[in-house]
Amino acid sequence: MTERTLIDTARALVAGDKGLLAMDESNATCNKRFAALGIPQTEAARRDWRELIVTAPSLADSISGAILFDETIRQKTNAGQPFAKALADAGIIPGIKVDTGAKPLAGHPGETVTEGLDGLRERLAEYATMGARFAKWRGVIAIGDGLPSRACIRVNAHALARYAALCQEAGLVPIVEPEVLMDGGHSLARCAEVTEEVLHRTFAELRAQGVLLEGMLLKPNMVLPGLKAAVQDSVEAVAEATVQCLMRTVPAVVPGVAFLSGGQPARLASARLNEMNTRYRSRLPWALTFSFSRAVQQPALDAWKGDAANVAVAQKALVQRTSANRAARRGEYKEEA
């Protein structure tokens, strides 16, 4: 796989003012969301939900790539077509989540390290044969009393870099996701401080591992106050703090920054992305886009409720949210009634 192919794929993922759809939640997470709505927690129900997403009319108008889970990339539509092929035929690039989850970090209570490097080279080769053209790995950083430790930041950054190098060796574009969690009562300024340190360390490790920065994408958190913070800063303040942090840390050669939603309400996530692109787009060296999961899926899941009779209305809700986020990438998002 040539460097040119990696660069071309990375650019295609952020082209046309589109974003990424994260539909890579684990079976446990998917089941939890189903349980809250009374949907059966079965493989068949998960397959039905994912087919609803994959076959949504006009989804490719706003979505350039979709991140799948291991179970999902092995599933097929009712017509017998693998989901990855159905996405590709619709003009959406298939991707795959390859980490195996965050596990407790030894010697550091309250912190985690993401695992999944063992056997990753072989898994990436298999996923490539199944149609995947990019991959994703998530590192998790918590803010709290004395947290995060430097050890936690370094070990997660190192794992992200090793993953990214293996992806590029396999011809897959790595989506590098160091997530500073929204949980807690920390301030906007504290989140900015931690996010900046995490991104500095992540890019230092990526360089050390020889990762082609032009052939990757970054999937960070927005800079936000904790969910329990007494002060919930304005959309404008979040946009300013986030862009300032990125400008200080993300090399200009990276093609795009695709934000995770991290539990933000759907409309608020769109409004914050819109503000960044409205105020700063002309000054940014990389595309600012979205790679949302709950902030795109939840309205559709609420509409579907596991009932086949609700598929069309759920697909409409899904496409409405992806279209809203494409508008936010253009700086043209208007708050819905």
Side-chain angles (χ1 to χ4, degrees):
M1 182 65 65
T2 66
E3 290 187 355
R4 184 75 258 162
T5 301
L6 290 169
I7 293 169
D8 288 347
T9 301
R11 289 179 176 174
L13 287 168
V14 295
D17 292 323
K18 299 181 184 182
L20 306 178
L21 174 60
M23 50 182 295
D24 60 326
E25 49 284 310
S26 68
N27 290 346
T29 297
C30 192
N31 286 343
K32 182 179 178 181
R33 295 176 188 172
F34 280 10
L37 294 170
I39 301 169
Q41 293 97 68
T42 63
E43 188 274 338
R46 292 192 298 270
R47 195 214 64 82
D48 289 345
W49 167 239
R50 291 156 179 165
E51 176 161 12
L52 181 158
I53 296 173
V54 167
T55 61
S58 304
L59 185 64
D61 290 349
S62 303
I63 296 297
S64 58
I67 310 169
L68 307 179
F69 185 62
D70 180 79
E71 180 181 77
T72 317
I73 201 170
R74 302 178 191 280
Q75 290 173 324
K76 299 178 180 180
T77 66
N78 282 327
Q81 187 177 44
F83 283 160
K85 181 67 163 57
L87 286 165
D89 286 352
I92 298 173
I93 300 171
I96 181 72
K97 172 187 174 179
V98 297
D99 69 72
T100 57
K103 306 297 191 301
L105 179 59
H108 296 272
E111 298 190 291
T112 64
V113 59
T114 300
E115 298 184 349
L117 290 171
D118 289 350
L120 181 56
R121 177 179 278 116
E122 292 74 22
R123 290 194 292 124
L124 290 170
E126 180 188 17
Y127 289 137
T129 65
M130 298 170 75
R133 292 173 55 194
F134 70 97
K136 192 207 80 168
W137 178 292
R138 174 179 178 248
V140 183
I141 309 294
I143 298 179
D145 186 17
L147 304 181
S149 66
R150 288 190 174 179
C152 177
I153 292 173
R154 289 177 177 178
V155 72
N156 278 289
H158 182 72
L160 280 163
R162 289 186 60 196
Y163 138 81
L166 285 165
C167 279
Q168 292 187 339
E169 177 189 83
L172 303 181
V173 169
I175 308 292
V176 174
E177 181 179 358
E179 179 179 3
V180 177
L181 297 174
M182 295 172 61
D183 303 333
H186 57 270
S187 67
L188 182 75
R190 177 60 177 150
C191 182
E193 178 184 30
V194 172
T195 302
E196 188 170 333
E197 182 178 358
V198 167
L199 293 179
H200 272 307
R201 173 57 59 175
T202 298
F203 279 102
E205 294 287 350
L206 288 166
R207 290 188 183 94
Q209 296 295 327
V211 173
L212 178 72
L213 300 184
E214 296 93 327
M216 62 156 280
L217 297 178
L218 179 69
K219 182 175 177 177
N221 53 283
M222 295 183 189
V223 174
L224 302 169
L227 291 172
K228 297 179 181 177
V231 176
Q232 292 295 316
D233 299 80
S234 68
V235 168
E236 294 79 8
V238 166
E240 181 178 7
T242 302
V243 170
Q244 182 180 69
C245 178
L246 295 175
M247 291 292 282
R248 289 174 172 173
T249 56
V250 183
V253 295
V254 174
V257 175
F259 292 109
L260 58 91
S261 53
Q264 298 177 72
R267 295 183 180 185
L268 187 54
S270 300
R272 287 164 167 165
L273 177 61
N274 183 76
E275 184 68 17
M276 291 179 215
N277 280 304
T278 299
R279 294 177 61 186
Y280 303 106
R281 180 168 176 159
S282 64
R283 290 181 265 167
L284 301 178
W286 9 253
L288 273 190
T289 189
F290 60 95
S291 180
F292 295 164
S293 177
R294 274 174 290 179
V296 167
Q297 290 189 43
Q298 195 61 49
L301 187 59
D302 291 342
W304 179 54
K305 295 185 176 66
D307 188 342
N310 296 331
V311 167
V313 68
Q315 288 179 327
K316 182 178 179 180
L318 177 73
V319 173
Q320 182 179 35
R321 288 305 330 150
T322 61
S323 298
N325 286 305
R326 189 184 187 199
R329 182 171 166 189
R330 292 170 163 172
E332 299 173 354
Y333 172 74
K334 303 297 182 185
E335 188 68 36
E336 302 104 317

